[in-house]
Amino acid sequence: MFRKSKTQLFQHLGEPPNPWGNRIVIGAAGIIAGGWTHDNKIFLLSSDAYSISNPETGEKEIQNWDENEQNRYKFSKDNLEYRIDELNQTIKVFGLRGGNGNHLSSDYWNLDSFHPSLGEQIIGLRHPKSADQFSEYWKNFQLIRLERLEYSTLTYGFSPNERHFAIFGSAGAEIFSR
């Protein structure tokens, strides 16, 4: 019975529903945290660098290679915030050393994760104003097919202006915009 459920989940992977049609994939290695800047840019941190990218194009606007090995000291004590000196901002982060992002937009789009088996994770999106049609909770979501990320250890969340959401994994991020 458990295998049947797992098979069902992976057979339902697809694209996010409208209006979330624009997908940008930002590849990176060893991502340990991600987040959003105050002006809705995507932040990715690995053990040796961080970058700030445009979520609509994927173009890198800032890259800090951490030559002085100081980036790890820019986390807050609770690991939920990170200081970006170039922007003079402290942002909320999520990932291995942080929280888990905003999962509900003010216009009721909802992100959730599903675990078909140990070590596997699938992210789904739905508009909660639409009536639940299925008794199995996951069937009320559009499960998102990933292009670069593996289906394990993912974090996700909406940008501050809620025009974008991102799914973060150790291999980078996939950003969807409306």
Side-chain angles (χ1 to χ4, degrees):
M1 180 157 164
F2 189 70
R3 275 217 186 277
K4 182 178 180 185
S5 177
K6 177 181 173 181
T7 302
Q8 286 179 344
L9 286 174
F10 280 103
Q11 287 176 349
H12 284 87
L13 296 177
E15 297 301 312
N18 284 333
W20 302 97
N22 185 43
R23 178 196 301 246
I24 295 296
V25 177
I26 300 175
I31 296 303
I32 57 174
W36 299 98
T37 65
H38 298 177
D39 59 348
N40 303 289
K41 305 294 173 140
I42 196 83
F43 169 78
L44 295 174
L45 172 71
S46 68
S47 62
D48 61 355
Y50 66 75
S51 65
I52 310 287
S53 301
N54 182 316
E56 294 177 359
T57 65
E59 179 182 341
K60 281 187 186 152
E61 297 180 1
I62 295 174
Q63 182 134 16
N64 180 318
W65 284 103
D66 195 21
E67 293 169 1
N68 299 325
E69 298 184 16
Q70 295 299 307
N71 285 347
R72 66 178 170 237
Y73 301 112
K74 295 180 182 182
F75 279 100
S76 62
K77 288 187 181 203
D78 62 6
N79 291 317
L80 298 176
E81 296 179 322
Y82 190 86
R83 177 80 185 155
I84 303 171
D85 294 331
E86 294 92 336
L87 299 176
N88 197 27
Q89 291 182 16
T90 299
I91 65 166
K92 294 179 187 208
V93 293
F94 36 105
L96 299 178
R97 295 187 66 178
N100 200 13
N102 178 14
H103 296 174
L104 183 65
S105 70
S106 59
D107 60 347
Y108 306 109
W109 286 97
N110 177 222
L111 291 164
D112 207 344
S113 67
F114 304 92
H115 302 270
S117 66
L118 187 62
E120 292 181 319
Q121 185 178 9
I122 295 172
I123 308 302
L125 176 69
R126 78 173 184 145
H127 196 278
K129 281 195 170 184
S130 60
D132 287 346
Q133 299 174 355
F134 302 100
S135 60
E136 291 180 85
Y137 181 68
W138 68 267
K139 287 185 177 180
N140 295 295
F141 285 76
Q142 173 57 54
L143 303 180
I144 300 171
R145 178 186 52 78
L146 300 174
E147 291 183 2
R148 176 166 174 101
L149 304 177
E150 295 180 1
Y151 294 96
S152 65
T153 316
L154 301 168
T155 59
Y156 49 95
F158 290 99
S159 64
N161 69 2
E162 301 175 348
R163 287 191 51 227
H164 318 281
F165 73 86
I167 301 172
F168 300 90
S170 63
E174 297 193 24
I175 302 109
F176 301 86
S177 301
R178 56 175 159 170

